[in-house]
Amino acid sequence: MNSRLPKVLHSLCGRPMLAYVIEAAREATGSRPLVVYSPATAAVRDVFHDEAEFALQDEPRGTGDAVRAALPALPADAAEVLVVSGDVPRVDAAILRDLLDQRRLDHAAFALTAVAAYDPRQLGRVVRSDGGSVERIVEAADATDDELEIGEINAGLYAFDADWLRGAIRRLRPSPRTGELYLTELVTIARADGRLVAALDVEDDGRLMGINDRAELAQAEWDLRTELNAGHMRAGVTMRDPSTVYVDATVKLGSDVTLEPNVILRGRTEVGEGTTIGAGSQIVDSTIGAGCSVWASVVESSDVADGASVGPFAHLRAGSSIGPAAEIGNFAEVKTSHIGRGVKQHHVSYLGDADVGAGTNVGAGTITANYDGTTKHRTTIGEGAFLGVDTMLRAPVTLGDGARTGAGAVVTHDVPAGKLAVGVPARIREPKASSAPPKAPSGPPKAGAAEPAG
Protein backbone atom coordinates (compact mmCIF):
# COMPACT_ATOMS: atom_id res chain seq x y z
CA MET A 1 0.00 0.00 0.00
CA ASN A 2 3.07 2.29 0.31
CA SER A 3 1.60 3.61 3.55
CA ARG A 4 2.50 4.06 7.19
CA LEU A 5 -0.99 2.78 8.01
CA PRO A 6 -1.31 -1.02 8.25
CA LYS A 7 -3.05 -2.34 5.15
CA VAL A 8 -6.02 -3.84 7.01
CA LEU A 9 -6.79 -0.45 8.61
CA HIS A 10 -7.29 1.30 5.28
CA SER A 11 -10.88 2.48 4.97
CA LEU A 12 -13.49 0.79 2.80
CA CYS A 13 -16.86 2.61 2.71
CA GLY A 14 -16.14 4.21 6.06
CA ARG A 15 -14.81 1.17 7.95
CA PRO A 16 -11.33 -0.39 8.19
CA MET A 17 -11.22 -3.37 5.84
CA LEU A 18 -10.45 -5.67 8.77
CA ALA A 19 -13.79 -4.72 10.38
CA TYR A 20 -15.67 -6.56 7.64
CA VAL A 21 -13.57 -9.71 8.09
CA ILE A 22 -14.00 -9.72 11.88
CA GLU A 23 -17.75 -9.27 11.50
CA ALA A 24 -18.06 -12.12 8.99
CA ALA A 25 -15.94 -14.48 11.12
CA ARG A 26 -17.88 -13.68 14.29
CA GLU A 27 -21.21 -14.21 12.53
CA ALA A 28 -20.07 -17.51 10.99
CA THR A 29 -18.66 -19.02 14.19
CA GLY A 30 -20.53 -17.28 17.00
CA SER A 31 -17.21 -16.62 18.73
CA ARG A 32 -14.76 -13.77 19.10
CA PRO A 33 -12.13 -13.89 16.32
CA LEU A 34 -8.40 -14.04 16.97
CA VAL A 35 -6.32 -11.53 14.99
CA VAL A 36 -2.66 -12.28 14.29
CA TYR A 37 -0.56 -9.12 14.14
CA SER A 38 3.10 -8.21 13.90
CA PRO A 39 5.04 -5.37 15.57
CA ALA A 40 4.56 -3.32 12.41
CA THR A 41 0.78 -3.73 12.55
CA ALA A 42 0.27 -3.32 16.30
CA ALA A 43 -2.17 -0.46 15.65
CA VAL A 44 -4.87 -3.05 14.92
CA ARG A 45 -4.99 -3.82 18.65
CA ASP A 46 -5.96 -0.26 19.48
CA VAL A 47 -8.68 -0.17 16.83
CA PHE A 48 -10.26 -3.57 17.53
CA HIS A 49 -9.50 -4.16 21.22
CA ASP A 50 -13.21 -4.59 22.02
CA GLU A 51 -13.95 -6.90 19.08
CA ALA A 52 -11.20 -9.51 18.91
CA GLU A 53 -8.48 -11.44 20.69
CA PHE A 54 -4.89 -11.07 19.51
CA ALA A 55 -1.76 -13.13 18.94
CA LEU A 56 1.66 -11.66 18.16
CA GLN A 57 3.72 -12.96 15.25
CA ASP A 58 7.14 -11.65 16.28
CA GLU A 59 8.63 -11.78 12.80
CA PRO A 60 6.25 -12.29 9.86
CA ARG A 61 7.38 -15.40 7.99
CA GLY A 62 4.40 -16.35 5.87
CA THR A 63 0.87 -17.64 6.31
CA GLY A 64 1.92 -20.88 7.95
CA ASP A 65 3.94 -19.00 10.55
CA ALA A 66 0.93 -16.73 11.24
CA VAL A 67 -1.25 -19.77 12.04
CA ARG A 68 1.57 -21.24 14.13
CA ALA A 69 1.61 -18.04 16.20
CA ALA A 70 -2.17 -18.14 16.62
CA LEU A 71 -2.62 -21.72 17.84
CA PRO A 72 -1.34 -21.26 21.43
CA ALA A 73 -3.85 -18.44 21.93
CA LEU A 74 -6.84 -20.56 20.88
CA PRO A 75 -9.01 -22.40 23.44
CA ALA A 76 -7.57 -25.86 24.15
CA ASP A 77 -10.92 -27.50 23.42
CA ALA A 78 -11.41 -25.84 20.01
CA ALA A 79 -12.43 -28.59 17.56
CA GLU A 80 -12.19 -26.51 14.40
CA VAL A 81 -10.10 -23.57 13.24
CA LEU A 82 -11.34 -21.16 10.59
CA VAL A 83 -8.57 -19.15 8.89
CA VAL A 84 -9.53 -15.96 7.08
CA SER A 85 -7.33 -13.34 5.43
CA GLY A 86 -7.59 -9.84 6.87
CA ASP A 87 -7.27 -8.25 3.43
CA VAL A 88 -10.35 -9.95 1.91
CA PRO A 89 -13.01 -7.57 3.26
CA ARG A 90 -15.92 -8.62 1.06
CA VAL A 91 -15.99 -12.17 2.39
CA ASP A 92 -19.37 -12.94 3.95
CA ALA A 93 -20.47 -15.24 6.75
CA ALA A 94 -22.42 -17.51 4.39
CA ILE A 95 -19.24 -18.55 2.54
CA LEU A 96 -17.45 -19.22 5.82
CA ARG A 97 -20.31 -21.35 7.13
CA ASP A 98 -20.38 -23.30 3.86
CA LEU A 99 -16.64 -23.88 4.16
CA LEU A 100 -17.03 -25.31 7.68
CA ASP A 101 -19.90 -27.50 6.49
CA GLN A 102 -17.81 -28.80 3.57
CA ARG A 103 -15.01 -29.94 5.87
CA ARG A 104 -17.44 -31.69 8.20
CA LEU A 105 -19.28 -33.33 5.31
CA ASP A 106 -16.07 -34.85 3.91
CA HIS A 107 -14.47 -35.52 7.34
CA ALA A 108 -11.45 -33.76 5.85
CA ALA A 109 -8.25 -32.62 7.52
CA PHE A 110 -9.21 -29.28 6.12
CA ALA A 111 -11.24 -27.58 3.44
CA LEU A 112 -10.19 -24.65 1.30
CA THR A 113 -12.00 -22.32 -1.07
CA ALA A 114 -11.45 -22.80 -4.79
CA VAL A 115 -12.42 -20.20 -7.36
CA ALA A 116 -12.67 -20.79 -11.11
CA ALA A 117 -10.97 -17.49 -11.90
CA TYR A 118 -11.58 -15.50 -15.05
CA ASP A 119 -7.93 -14.46 -14.95
CA PRO A 120 -5.73 -16.67 -12.70
CA ARG A 121 -2.57 -14.64 -13.40
CA GLN A 122 0.14 -15.43 -10.84
CA LEU A 123 -2.18 -17.05 -8.30
CA GLY A 124 -1.69 -20.53 -6.87
CA ARG A 125 -3.45 -23.30 -8.86
CA VAL A 126 -5.58 -26.01 -7.23
CA VAL A 127 -4.54 -29.44 -8.52
CA ARG A 128 -7.21 -32.11 -7.95
CA SER A 129 -7.36 -35.87 -8.18
CA ASP A 130 -9.69 -37.65 -10.57
CA GLY A 131 -12.13 -37.96 -7.65
CA GLY A 132 -12.19 -34.20 -7.10
CA SER A 133 -10.20 -34.00 -3.87
CA VAL A 134 -7.34 -31.52 -3.63
CA GLU A 135 -3.92 -33.07 -4.19
CA ARG A 136 -1.71 -30.00 -3.96
CA ILE A 137 -1.50 -26.23 -4.44
CA VAL A 138 1.05 -25.14 -7.02
CA GLU A 139 2.37 -21.60 -7.01
CA ALA A 140 2.35 -20.06 -10.49
CA ALA A 141 6.13 -19.58 -10.42
CA ASP A 142 6.60 -23.31 -9.85
CA ALA A 143 3.83 -24.58 -12.15
CA THR A 144 4.34 -26.49 -15.36
CA ASP A 145 2.73 -25.31 -18.57
CA ASP A 146 -0.06 -27.85 -18.10
CA GLU A 147 -0.64 -26.70 -14.52
CA LEU A 148 -0.79 -23.08 -15.63
CA GLU A 149 -3.72 -24.07 -17.86
CA ILE A 150 -5.70 -24.83 -14.69
CA GLY A 151 -8.14 -21.99 -14.06
CA GLU A 152 -8.99 -22.91 -10.47
CA ILE A 153 -7.15 -20.91 -7.83
CA ASN A 154 -6.87 -21.04 -4.05
CA ALA A 155 -8.72 -18.10 -2.45
CA GLY A 156 -6.92 -18.40 0.91
CA LEU A 157 -9.82 -19.33 3.23
CA TYR A 158 -9.50 -22.54 5.26
CA ALA A 159 -11.43 -24.65 7.77
CA PHE A 160 -9.24 -27.09 9.73
CA ASP A 161 -9.66 -30.09 11.99
CA ALA A 162 -8.01 -28.44 15.01
CA ASP A 163 -6.38 -31.59 16.42
CA TRP A 164 -4.80 -32.45 13.08
CA LEU A 165 -3.67 -28.83 12.53
CA ARG A 166 -1.86 -28.63 15.88
CA GLY A 167 0.35 -31.56 14.90
CA ALA A 168 0.74 -30.75 11.21
CA ILE A 169 1.78 -27.11 11.67
CA ARG A 170 5.03 -28.26 13.29
CA ARG A 171 5.91 -30.18 10.16
CA LEU A 172 5.98 -27.16 7.86
CA ARG A 173 9.43 -26.39 6.47
CA PRO A 174 10.67 -22.98 5.27
CA SER A 175 10.57 -22.27 1.56
CA PRO A 176 14.08 -22.57 0.08
CA ARG A 177 13.38 -19.42 -1.94
CA THR A 178 11.89 -17.08 0.69
CA GLY A 179 12.40 -18.76 4.05
CA GLU A 180 8.67 -18.41 4.76
CA LEU A 181 6.25 -21.08 5.98
CA TYR A 182 3.35 -21.53 3.58
CA LEU A 183 -0.04 -22.78 4.74
CA THR A 184 -0.60 -24.37 1.33
CA GLU A 185 2.12 -26.96 2.15
CA LEU A 186 -0.42 -28.51 4.54
CA VAL A 187 -2.13 -30.04 1.50
CA THR A 188 0.89 -32.24 0.87
CA ILE A 189 1.16 -33.10 4.57
CA ALA A 190 -2.53 -34.04 4.78
CA ARG A 191 -2.28 -36.32 1.75
CA ALA A 192 0.82 -37.97 3.22
CA ASP A 193 -1.24 -38.64 6.34
CA GLY A 194 -3.94 -40.21 4.23
CA ARG A 195 -6.33 -37.41 5.09
CA LEU A 196 -8.69 -35.75 2.64
CA VAL A 197 -8.44 -32.09 1.62
CA ALA A 198 -11.85 -30.81 0.52
CA ALA A 199 -12.64 -27.81 -1.64
CA LEU A 200 -15.58 -25.43 -1.58
CA ASP A 201 -16.25 -24.12 -5.07
CA VAL A 202 -17.00 -20.39 -5.03
CA GLU A 203 -18.08 -18.20 -7.92
CA ASP A 204 -15.58 -15.62 -9.16
CA ASP A 205 -17.78 -12.62 -8.34
CA GLY A 206 -15.11 -10.48 -6.68
CA ARG A 207 -16.13 -11.18 -3.09
CA LEU A 208 -12.88 -13.02 -2.34
CA MET A 209 -10.57 -10.54 -4.01
CA GLY A 210 -7.59 -9.75 -1.82
CA ILE A 211 -6.48 -6.14 -1.58
CA ASN A 212 -2.78 -5.51 -2.13
CA ASP A 213 -2.62 -1.93 -3.38
CA ARG A 214 -4.72 1.21 -3.56
CA ALA A 215 -6.02 0.45 -7.02
CA GLU A 216 -7.53 -2.80 -5.72
CA LEU A 217 -8.84 -0.93 -2.69
CA ALA A 218 -10.63 1.53 -4.97
CA GLN A 219 -12.14 -1.33 -6.98
CA ALA A 220 -13.37 -3.03 -3.80
CA GLU A 221 -14.89 0.24 -2.59
CA TRP A 222 -16.69 0.71 -5.89
CA ASP A 223 -18.11 -2.83 -5.72
CA LEU A 224 -19.19 -2.52 -2.09
CA ARG A 225 -20.67 0.96 -2.61
CA THR A 226 -22.71 -0.36 -5.53
CA GLU A 227 -24.10 -3.09 -3.24
CA LEU A 228 -24.85 -0.65 -0.42
CA ASN A 229 -26.62 1.84 -2.69
CA ALA A 230 -28.69 -0.89 -4.29
CA GLY A 231 -29.74 -2.12 -0.85
CA HIS A 232 -30.84 1.37 0.21
CA MET A 233 -32.81 1.88 -2.99
CA ARG A 234 -34.61 -1.44 -2.54
CA ALA A 235 -35.49 -0.30 0.98
CA GLY A 236 -37.19 2.88 -0.29
CA VAL A 237 -34.43 5.46 -0.81
CA THR A 238 -34.36 7.48 -4.02
CA MET A 239 -30.97 8.17 -5.60
CA ARG A 240 -31.04 10.39 -8.68
CA ASP A 241 -27.63 9.13 -9.78
CA PRO A 242 -26.34 6.25 -7.58
CA SER A 243 -22.90 6.35 -9.21
CA THR A 244 -22.25 9.77 -7.62
CA VAL A 245 -23.68 9.00 -4.16
CA TYR A 246 -21.19 7.94 -1.47
CA VAL A 247 -22.84 6.37 1.58
CA ASP A 248 -20.69 4.73 4.25
CA ALA A 249 -21.62 1.26 5.46
CA THR A 250 -22.41 2.72 8.89
CA VAL A 251 -25.05 5.20 7.63
CA LYS A 252 -28.77 4.64 8.30
CA LEU A 253 -31.43 6.00 5.92
CA GLY A 254 -35.20 6.17 6.45
CA SER A 255 -37.83 5.46 3.84
CA ASP A 256 -38.56 8.05 1.16
CA VAL A 257 -35.21 9.74 1.67
CA THR A 258 -33.99 11.38 -1.54
CA LEU A 259 -30.27 11.67 -2.26
CA GLU A 260 -29.42 13.94 -5.15
CA PRO A 261 -26.16 13.68 -7.16
CA ASN A 262 -22.78 14.30 -5.52
CA VAL A 263 -23.93 13.59 -1.97
CA ILE A 264 -21.51 12.18 0.62
CA LEU A 265 -22.81 10.64 3.87
CA ARG A 266 -20.14 9.45 6.30
CA GLY A 267 -19.71 7.84 9.69
CA ARG A 268 -22.62 7.40 12.11
CA THR A 269 -24.99 9.58 10.10
CA GLU A 270 -28.74 8.93 10.24
CA VAL A 271 -31.31 10.53 7.93
CA GLY A 272 -35.04 10.49 8.76
CA GLU A 273 -37.86 9.58 6.43
CA GLY A 274 -38.92 11.98 3.72
CA THR A 275 -35.79 14.10 3.95
CA THR A 276 -34.02 15.39 0.85
CA ILE A 277 -30.24 15.71 0.83
CA GLY A 278 -29.54 18.06 -2.05
CA ALA A 279 -26.74 18.01 -4.55
CA GLY A 280 -23.27 18.79 -3.25
CA SER A 281 -23.99 18.08 0.43
CA GLN A 282 -21.58 16.36 2.84
CA ILE A 283 -22.89 15.03 6.16
CA VAL A 284 -20.58 13.43 8.74
CA ASP A 285 -21.55 11.74 12.03
CA SER A 286 -24.83 13.67 12.20
CA THR A 287 -28.54 13.04 12.69
CA ILE A 288 -30.95 14.63 10.23
CA GLY A 289 -34.63 14.39 11.17
CA ALA A 290 -37.70 13.63 9.09
CA GLY A 291 -38.97 16.00 6.42
CA CYS A 292 -35.78 18.06 6.33
CA SER A 293 -33.94 19.66 3.44
CA VAL A 294 -30.15 19.93 3.25
CA TRP A 295 -28.83 21.52 0.08
CA ALA A 296 -25.20 22.00 -0.98
CA SER A 297 -24.09 22.23 2.65
CA VAL A 298 -21.68 20.62 5.12
CA VAL A 299 -22.99 19.14 8.39
CA GLU A 300 -20.50 17.78 10.95
CA SER A 301 -21.33 16.00 14.22
CA SER A 302 -24.62 17.89 14.58
CA ASP A 303 -28.34 17.25 15.00
CA VAL A 304 -31.02 18.69 12.74
CA ALA A 305 -34.60 18.27 13.97
CA ASP A 306 -37.70 17.42 11.94
CA GLY A 307 -38.79 19.89 9.30
CA ALA A 308 -35.67 22.05 9.39
CA SER A 309 -33.87 23.28 6.29
CA VAL A 310 -30.16 23.87 5.80
CA GLY A 311 -28.51 25.65 2.90
CA PRO A 312 -27.55 26.26 0.28
CA PHE A 313 -23.90 26.76 1.21
CA ALA A 314 -24.38 26.51 4.98
CA HIS A 315 -21.92 24.93 7.42
CA LEU A 316 -22.96 23.24 10.66
CA ARG A 317 -19.84 22.59 12.67
CA ALA A 318 -19.50 20.02 15.46
CA GLY A 319 -21.85 20.32 18.41
CA SER A 320 -24.65 22.19 16.67
CA SER A 321 -28.32 21.43 17.29
CA ILE A 322 -30.92 22.82 14.90
CA GLY A 323 -34.51 22.89 16.18
CA PRO A 324 -37.70 21.83 14.40
CA ALA A 325 -38.71 23.95 11.39
CA ALA A 326 -35.63 26.16 11.78
CA GLU A 327 -34.06 27.63 8.64
CA ILE A 328 -30.30 27.89 8.23
CA GLY A 329 -29.76 29.73 4.97
CA ASN A 330 -27.19 30.94 2.47
CA PHE A 331 -23.61 31.11 3.77
CA ALA A 332 -24.74 30.68 7.38
CA GLU A 333 -22.35 29.02 9.84
CA VAL A 334 -23.25 27.48 13.19
CA LYS A 335 -20.79 26.07 15.74
CA THR A 336 -21.51 24.46 19.14
CA SER A 337 -24.88 26.19 19.28
CA HIS A 338 -28.51 25.35 19.95
CA ILE A 339 -30.88 26.92 17.47
CA GLY A 340 -34.49 26.83 18.64
CA ARG A 341 -37.72 25.96 16.88
CA GLY A 342 -38.59 28.12 13.90
CA VAL A 343 -35.45 30.26 14.09
CA LYS A 344 -34.52 31.91 10.79
CA GLN A 345 -30.80 32.41 10.27
CA HIS A 346 -30.11 33.58 6.75
CA HIS A 347 -27.57 35.56 4.76
CA VAL A 348 -23.85 35.35 5.66
CA SER A 349 -24.11 34.97 9.43
CA TYR A 350 -22.14 33.21 12.16
CA LEU A 351 -23.51 31.82 15.42
CA GLY A 352 -20.84 30.25 17.59
CA ASP A 353 -21.30 29.05 21.18
CA ALA A 354 -24.84 30.40 21.20
CA ASP A 355 -28.30 29.47 22.43
CA VAL A 356 -31.02 30.99 20.28
CA GLY A 357 -34.64 30.89 21.44
CA ALA A 358 -37.60 29.82 19.34
CA GLY A 359 -38.91 32.17 16.68
CA THR A 360 -35.90 34.47 16.64
CA ASN A 361 -34.98 36.15 13.35
CA VAL A 362 -31.23 36.47 12.73
CA GLY A 363 -30.52 39.30 10.31
CA ALA A 364 -27.97 39.24 7.52
CA GLY A 365 -24.37 39.61 8.66
CA THR A 366 -25.07 38.82 12.33
CA ILE A 367 -22.03 37.53 14.22
CA THR A 368 -21.48 36.24 17.73
CA ALA A 369 -17.97 37.35 18.74
CA ASN A 370 -17.41 34.33 20.95
CA TYR A 371 -13.61 34.27 21.29
CA ASP A 372 -11.60 36.87 23.18
CA GLY A 373 -8.23 35.42 22.17
CA THR A 374 -8.04 33.15 25.21
CA THR A 375 -11.49 31.79 26.06
CA LYS A 376 -14.71 30.96 24.23
CA HIS A 377 -17.82 32.64 25.66
CA ARG A 378 -21.52 31.93 25.10
CA THR A 379 -24.27 34.14 23.77
CA THR A 380 -27.85 33.61 24.91
CA ILE A 381 -30.75 34.95 22.86
CA GLY A 382 -34.32 34.60 24.10
CA GLU A 383 -37.44 33.65 22.18
CA GLY A 384 -38.94 35.89 19.55
CA ALA A 385 -35.91 38.18 19.33
CA PHE A 386 -35.13 40.20 16.18
CA LEU A 387 -31.52 40.88 15.24
CA GLY A 388 -31.01 43.64 12.69
CA VAL A 389 -28.56 43.32 9.82
CA ASP A 390 -24.86 43.44 10.71
CA THR A 391 -25.48 42.94 14.43
CA MET A 392 -22.35 42.01 16.40
CA LEU A 393 -22.88 40.31 19.77
CA ARG A 394 -19.74 40.38 21.93
CA ALA A 395 -19.96 37.37 24.21
CA PRO A 396 -20.68 36.74 26.98
CA VAL A 397 -23.95 38.52 26.45
CA THR A 398 -27.67 37.77 26.93
CA LEU A 399 -30.64 39.12 24.99
CA GLY A 400 -34.03 38.60 26.64
CA ASP A 401 -37.24 37.40 25.03
CA GLY A 402 -38.48 39.76 22.35
CA ALA A 403 -35.31 41.87 22.43
CA ARG A 404 -34.31 43.71 19.23
CA THR A 405 -31.16 45.17 17.77
CA GLY A 406 -30.82 47.91 15.20
CA ALA A 407 -28.81 47.59 12.00
CA GLY A 408 -25.06 47.63 12.69
CA ALA A 409 -25.44 47.42 16.47
CA VAL A 410 -22.42 46.26 18.47
CA VAL A 411 -23.90 44.73 21.61
CA THR A 412 -21.46 44.54 24.52
CA HIS A 413 -23.96 44.36 27.42
CA ASP A 414 -27.10 42.38 28.14
CA VAL A 415 -30.32 43.53 26.49
CA PRO A 416 -33.43 43.12 28.69
CA ALA A 417 -36.52 41.40 27.36
CA GLY A 418 -38.51 43.54 24.95
CA LYS A 419 -35.85 46.26 24.70
CA LEU A 420 -34.06 47.67 21.65
CA ALA A 421 -30.25 47.98 21.36
CA VAL A 422 -28.88 50.46 18.79
CA GLY A 423 -25.53 52.05 17.97
CA VAL A 424 -21.82 51.41 18.52
CA PRO A 425 -21.50 50.46 21.29
CA ALA A 426 -25.19 49.66 21.55
CA ARG A 427 -27.43 51.64 23.87
CA ILE A 428 -30.74 50.39 25.22
CA ARG A 429 -33.91 52.02 23.92
CA GLU A 430 -37.61 51.39 24.20
CA PRO A 431 -38.83 49.96 20.89
CA LYS A 432 -41.61 51.72 19.05
CA ALA A 433 -44.98 50.07 19.40
CA SER A 434 -45.08 49.30 15.66
CA SER A 435 -41.75 47.52 15.80
CA ALA A 436 -42.73 44.77 18.23
CA PRO A 437 -41.04 41.53 17.23
CA PRO A 438 -43.04 38.55 16.06
CA LYS A 439 -44.08 36.02 18.67
CA ALA A 440 -42.27 32.72 18.83
CA PRO A 441 -44.09 30.00 16.90
CA SER A 442 -45.76 27.29 18.95
CA GLY A 443 -45.36 24.65 16.26
CA PRO A 444 -44.06 24.02 12.77
CA PRO A 445 -45.01 26.70 10.23
CA LYS A 446 -48.20 26.06 8.31
CA ALA A 447 -48.02 25.37 4.60
CA GLY A 448 -48.09 28.57 2.61
CA ALA A 449 -47.37 30.81 5.61
CA ALA A 450 -45.36 33.93 4.79
CA GLU A 451 -41.79 34.22 6.12
CA PRO A 452 -40.53 37.27 8.00
CA ALA A 453 -37.94 39.19 5.99
CA GLY A 454 -34.27 38.06 6.23
Side-chain angles (χ1 to χ4, degrees):
M1 304 295 279
N2 289 320
S3 174
R4 288 174 292 180
L5 185 70
K7 176 169 70 170
V8 295
L9 295 185
H10 279 258
S11 178
L12 185 69
C13 290
R15 303 175 70 194
M17 70 169 81
L18 183 58
Y20 297 94
V21 181
I22 287 176
E23 184 177 69
R26 184 173 55 240
E27 185 179 341
T29 64
S31 61
R32 198 172 156 97
L34 175 73
V35 175
V36 180
Y37 72 99
S38 69
T41 61
V44 300
R45 295 198 59 160
D46 298 328
V47 176
F48 294 104
H49 65 278
D50 289 334
E51 301 177 51
E53 306 297 336
F54 297 90
L56 175 63
Q57 185 184 18
D58 292 319
E59 180 183 353
R61 294 192 305 135
T63 53
D65 187 60
V67 172
R68 178 204 56 75
L71 287 175
L74 293 175
D77 60 350
E80 292 178 297
V81 177
L82 181 68
V83 177
V84 188
S85 297
D87 60 359
V88 184
R90 296 188 62 218
V91 65
D92 59 42
I95 288 177
L96 300 181
R97 284 193 292 263
D98 289 345
L99 184 61
L100 290 164
D101 290 342
Q102 187 70 56
R103 192 207 69 79
R104 296 165 189 161
L105 179 66
D106 293 334
H107 303 287
F110 69 99
L112 55 80
T113 47
V115 177
Y118 295 116
D119 183 5
R121 300 186 189 181
Q122 297 302 306
L123 300 173
R125 305 306 203 268
V126 177
V127 180
R128 299 195 190 224
S129 69
D130 292 339
S133 64
V134 178
E135 291 298 308
R136 64 187 189 278
I137 305 294
V138 181
E139 297 301 322
D142 301 323
T144 66
D145 290 342
D146 287 342
E147 288 168 340
L148 287 174
E149 291 298 316
I150 298 172
E152 197 171 40
I153 58 98
N154 171 34
L157 307 179
Y158 308 92
F160 288 97
D161 175 330
D163 287 340
W164 178 85
L165 178 62
R166 289 187 180 98
I169 201 76
R170 294 194 293 266
R171 293 151 62 188
L172 289 177
R173 293 294 176 262
S175 163
R177 288 187 303 146
T178 66
E180 295 187 343
L181 301 178
Y182 293 123
L183 208 54
T184 51
E185 288 300 308
L186 290 175
V187 176
T188 302
I189 293 172
R191 298 305 294 134
D193 290 345
R195 294 292 302 272
L196 189 67
V197 177
L200 175 70
D201 297 326
V202 178
E203 182 183 356
D204 188 10
D205 58 4
R207 285 180 297 169
L208 300 185
M209 182 184 78
I211 294 176
N212 297 297
D213 56 42
R214 300 192 196 222
E216 291 175 344
L217 179 66
Q219 181 62 57
E221 171 129 3
W222 174 277
D223 293 339
L224 181 56
R225 183 160 57 87
T226 298
E227 284 184 14
L228 291 171
N229 286 357
H232 286 304
M233 288 187 286
R234 284 192 290 267
V237 173
T238 295
M239 297 186 186
R240 304 296 186 198
D241 181 1
S243 68
T244 66
V245 173
Y246 294 76
V247 179
D248 279 355
T250 47
V251 170
K252 297 179 180 179
L253 303 176
S255 61
D256 290 320
V257 165
T258 296
L259 304 181
E260 294 185 349
N262 300 313
V263 163
I264 300 174
L265 306 179
R266 298 200 185 282
R268 299 294 175 180
T269 291
E270 297 185 21
V271 181
E273 63 180 31
T275 284
T276 295
I277 308 299
S281 295
Q282 295 192 44
I283 302 175
V284 182
D285 293 326
S286 297
T287 299
I288 312 297
C292 295
S293 171
V294 180
W295 178 23
S297 296
V298 176
V299 182
E300 305 171 273
S301 302
S302 296
D303 297 324
V304 178
D306 296 351
S309 63
V310 178
F313 314 120
H315 186 185
L316 305 185
R317 292 166 58 190
S320 297
S321 174
I322 309 302
E327 299 176 11
I328 309 299
N330 306 46
F331 303 102
E333 181 178 353
V334 181
K335 191 271 296 183
T336 323
S337 296
H338 174 76
I339 308 301
R341 175 186 290 273
V343 168
K344 290 176 170 42
Q345 180 198 351
H346 297 164
H347 319 310
V348 197
S349 53
Y350 170 68
L351 298 177
D353 300 290
D355 298 286
V356 183
T360 287
N361 189 89
V362 179
T366 294
I367 292 175
T368 57
N370 55 324
Y371 185 50
D372 63 7
T374 303
T375 306
K376 300 288 180 67
H377 300 281
R378 292 198 73 80
T379 297
T380 302
I381 302 169
E383 296 186 357
F386 187 95
L387 306 180
V389 298
D390 288 331
T391 293
M392 181 177 293
L393 305 171
R394 191 198 68 182
V397 68
T398 298
L399 281 69
D401 293 348
R404 298 173 64 85
T405 65
V410 177
V411 181
T412 59
H413 295 88
D414 294 350
V415 180
K419 301 297 184 181
L420 171 66
V422 296
V424 181
R427 300 173 300 283
I428 306 302
R429 296 284 187 269
E430 291 290 341
K432 296 180 181 179
S434 61
S435 63
K439 293 183 179 179
S442 58
K446 296 179 180 179
E451 295 185 4

